[in-house]
Amino acid sequence: MGTIVLGITLAVLDSSVVNLALPGMVRDLHATASGAVWIVNAYQLATLVLLLPLATLGDRVGYKRIYIAGVVVFTIASGLASFSTSLAMLAAARALQGAGAAGIMSVNSALVRLTYPSDALGRGVALNSVTVATAAVAGPVVAAAILSIASWPWLFLVNIPLGIALFFLGRSVLPMNPTRPIAGSISVVDVTLNAAMFVLLFLGADLVGASSSTTLGLLLLAACVAIGVVHVRRQLGKEHPLLPIDLLRIPVFRLSMATSVCAFAAQTITFVTLPFLFLEAWHRTPGEAGILIAGWPLAIIVSAPIAGRLIGRYPDGLLGAIGLGTLATGLALLALAAHDTSSDGMWWRLAICGIGFGLFQSPNNHTIITSAPPHRAGAASGMLGTARLTGQASGAALLAAVFAVSSAHDVRSTEIALSFAAGLAAIAAVFSGRRVKFQA
């Protein structure tokens, strides 16, 4: 489990660890700020595009093989990124790094399911959830620590010894899952359609959110829908589809995916909005802002293990609904407190959000993992990661639209954004609550 935790930490952490270093990268590589966004986007897009194909491949060849291959690619790409001399080279290295991260993420939950006995799986899921949640918000903190003593290439160089250690640990301790012959190969057409669908969704949402190219963004989203229809129709008649339509036919799995997308969209909106509130509107220092924001992940560390122990005693849907209701309440309180510059008042509100998120995530992930048949654990693991990344991309696009209408430096825009986040959390609570009748 230590090996699994280390791998998912590296994969999730590197999605945000470069954000703080972007100004320095722009300066050193003689790039533009708009172009530097692709240092972030290339990683996220490559991960999103490859999650489902690699998860499907894991069901065929074994999760351990996909995981180790992902570690190798991630480590090599980290070395290439550290020696990049141009924006194009760095963006390409980041895309390759994202491909390696997809190998790790795609089978992460399936390996957790193999590692723990069924009666203790809730605790394993809780540990994994705490790791993902903490790593997702720890990127700027880790980056600040590294950049205080070294230059930005060290953000990638530190991955190399960790990747090498992870490779040897993975080979020696990770479990092998029994595989069975599956008729037919993975279709290149299906992989291409899957990639095109997610790329168009990502780019279209980004352009619509920026509002500078709304028409083009809407055209890309329309193309995404058209390709998605073709992709889904191709998957309907397959026993082991690349896009797991078979799993989405399971009501509790489908509701869990919708819950996850809405919850992670709410989280992303909040964590991108709050730095603008604390730094620009409240004029706090980065250190003070970091201490305030820490209330959320610290509360997750407390609440997620408790949720893990409650799994099996109470329906996952009920636990998730309670957690998401708590999250929605905390986000609404944050929106109401945007004009109040009291740090103490903001900290406990963020702690409420973290408690709610921690109560939701472990039971929700447990349902996604266990509601799929054992031989489809890889596909379920890939869908779990896809839901998280889709929610994050959707939340970022929605926030960009809010900031396009109202300035990011205005407290009013913060209130609107946090209200949207609270609404999404409430919708997620409804989805989660509907699962109870299937889990009674």
Side-chain angles (χ1 to χ4, degrees):
M1 192 59 190
T3 301
I4 296 170
V5 164
L6 176 59
I8 196 64
T9 298
L10 288 178
V12 175
L13 192 67
D14 267 63
S15 67
S16 62
V17 77
V18 301
N19 293 358
L20 204 62
L22 287 178
M25 293 175 173
V26 168
R27 182 181 60 254
D28 293 347
L29 300 175
H30 307 291
T32 63
S34 58
V37 172
W38 281 99
I39 298 174
V40 178
N41 287 354
Y43 185 96
Q44 295 177 334
L45 193 52
T47 303
L48 184 59
V49 163
L50 290 174
L51 268 176
L52 292 180
L54 291 177
T56 301
L57 190 59
D59 284 334
R60 293 169 177 259
V61 305
Y63 310 133
K64 179 177 180 178
R65 292 189 177 97
I66 297 298
Y67 187 93
I68 292 174
V71 168
V72 171
V73 172
F74 181 87
T75 305
I76 293 173
S78 296
L80 293 174
S82 67
F83 291 106
S84 296
T85 56
S86 68
L87 177 62
M89 182 178 177
L90 180 55
R94 286 283 289 169
L96 187 63
Q97 203 182 23
I104 296 170
M105 293 183 188
S106 63
V107 297
N108 169 71
S109 298
L111 285 170
V112 173
R113 185 175 182 177
L114 282 175
T115 300
Y116 278 83
S118 58
D119 60 343
L121 181 58
R123 298 182 185 182
V125 172
L127 175 57
N128 201 57
S129 299
V130 168
T131 302
V132 172
T134 304
V137 299
V141 178
V142 173
I146 293 174
L147 294 174
S148 66
I149 58 174
S151 57
W152 63 261
W154 281 93
L155 295 174
F156 307 112
L157 284 171
V158 296
N159 291 333
I160 296 176
L162 294 173
I164 293 172
L166 193 57
F167 171 76
F168 287 106
L169 282 170
R171 288 190 62 185
S172 62
V173 304
L174 289 180
M176 282 294 294
N177 59 296
T179 58
R180 61 182 189 179
I182 298 176
S185 59
I186 298 177
S187 169
V188 175
V189 174
D190 289 340
V191 173
T192 302
L193 289 172
N194 182 77
M197 182 177 67
F198 282 116
V199 168
L200 290 170
L201 173 64
F202 188 95
L203 296 179
D206 185 59
L207 290 174
V208 170
S211 78
S212 57
S213 303
T214 304
T215 302
L216 178 58
L218 291 174
L219 289 174
L220 292 179
L221 289 176
C224 169
V225 172
I227 290 176
V229 170
V230 174
H231 188 33
V232 169
R233 289 177 65 87
R234 282 181 58 87
Q235 305 303 301
L236 287 175
K238 298 187 177 183
E239 183 180 357
H240 296 277
L242 178 68
L243 183 65
I245 300 296
D246 56 327
L247 298 184
L248 292 174
R249 292 193 183 101
I250 303 171
V252 70
F253 186 93
R254 183 169 62 247
L255 288 169
S256 299
M257 290 290 293
T259 301
S260 189
V261 170
C262 292
F264 277 102
Q267 183 200 49
T268 298
I269 289 173
T270 306
F271 273 101
V272 178
T273 300
L274 290 180
F276 286 99
L277 175 66
F278 295 152
L279 298 177
E280 302 292 335
W282 288 13
H283 305 292
R284 294 288 197 269
T285 66
E288 290 172 334
I291 291 173
L292 285 174
I293 294 174
W296 184 310
L298 288 175
I300 289 177
I301 293 173
V302 173
S303 63
I306 296 174
R309 293 182 177 275
L310 293 175
I311 291 174
R313 301 181 186 179
Y314 303 95
D316 290 347
L318 176 61
L319 294 174
I322 293 172
L324 289 164
T326 303
L327 174 61
T329 301
L331 290 171
L333 291 172
L334 284 177
L336 293 172
H339 284 283
D340 179 9
T341 59
S342 169
S343 298
D344 292 338
M346 189 60 70
W347 203 92
W348 66 260
R349 287 174 171 85
L350 279 163
I352 289 176
C353 293
I355 289 171
F357 200 86
L359 288 175
F360 133 77
Q361 193 176 10
S362 298
N364 194 72
N365 291 356
H366 180 265
T367 297
I368 290 175
I369 295 170
T370 57
S371 60
H375 68 281
R376 296 286 283 153
S381 180
M383 287 292 278
L384 192 155
T386 299
R388 176 172 59 82
L389 291 172
T390 301
Q392 290 171 344
S394 302
L398 179 58
L399 182 60
V402 172
F403 283 169
V405 175
S406 178
S407 171
H409 309 289
D410 185 6
V411 173
R412 178 60 179 166
S413 66
T414 300
E415 293 175 334
I416 295 172
L418 291 175
S419 297
F420 273 123
L424 285 168
I427 293 171
V430 173
F431 282 133
S432 184
R434 290 188 61 191
R435 296 181 297 178
V436 174
K437 66 179 181 179
F438 300 106
Q439 298 175 323

